[in-house]
Amino acid sequence: MHAQIVLFDGFDPLDAIAPYEVLYAGGAASDGAVRVELVSAEGRREVISGTGDLGRHATTHHLGPDALEAAGAHVVRARVVDDGDLVTGAGVTSGLDLGIHLLEREVGPKVALAVEELFAYERRGVVWRNHGPKPSLR
């Protein structure tokens, strides 16, 4: 798996570094089956401030849903949202959950569990995906 963590203008460093560290450790634990790098949509550059249009399901820090909706995303209040080729986390520690979810999805549960154990961290919550029946509970 080749993972790219896209840095956008105004990103929070821990939101990017937590999943980077998890995926990097997964690469080490899987003899290089995972590669990870930090990138920007515009190529190599200094990333400083701004937002982009998402028109997708995504999550963000609990203080940011309005800005995410304004960018065109369908906000889901979950720690991790897996929308196929776009996976988002809801904030600082959910980046760990996001990284471990990607390891499980792309490399397998054995590597994901090994990284959980390495970080002494157990994932929380359900990874939201846009399939299955709509809940009737309110």
Side-chain angles (χ1 to χ4, degrees):
M1 173 176 85
H2 180 203
Q4 293 180 321
I5 298 173
V6 181
L7 302 180
F8 57 90
D9 293 333
F11 80 99
D12 183 311
L14 194 52
D15 289 347
I17 299 305
Y20 178 91
E21 286 292 327
V22 169
L23 294 171
Y24 183 85
S30 65
D31 293 322
V34 178
R35 293 177 314 152
V36 61
E37 63 180 332
L38 301 174
V39 300
S40 81
E42 297 82 17
R44 189 179 185 104
R45 70 173 181 95
E46 184 175 328
V47 181
I48 46 179
S49 66
T51 61
D53 185 17
L54 295 176
R56 306 272 307 262
H57 291 96
T59 190
T60 188
H61 186 271
H62 70 275
L63 297 177
D66 292 341
L68 192 59
E69 285 176 349
H74 302 285
V75 175
V76 177
R77 295 192 187 275
R79 287 180 63 77
V80 176
V81 171
D82 184 337
D83 198 27
D85 63 346
L86 175 69
V87 182
T88 54
V92 179
T93 60
S94 65
L96 296 167
D97 299 326
L98 183 151
I100 294 169
H101 165 69
L102 284 174
L103 289 176
E104 181 178 38
R105 186 180 92 170
E106 299 295 327
V107 182
K110 292 177 183 176
V111 169
L113 180 60
V115 172
E116 275 190 356
E117 291 174 351
L118 175 68
F119 281 74
Y121 181 80
E122 188 173 311
R123 287 181 284 175
R124 294 182 17 214
V126 173
V127 174
W128 186 93
R129 294 181 183 173
N130 193 22
H131 66 270
K134 292 189 186 252
S136 59
L137 301 174
R138 287 264 167 171

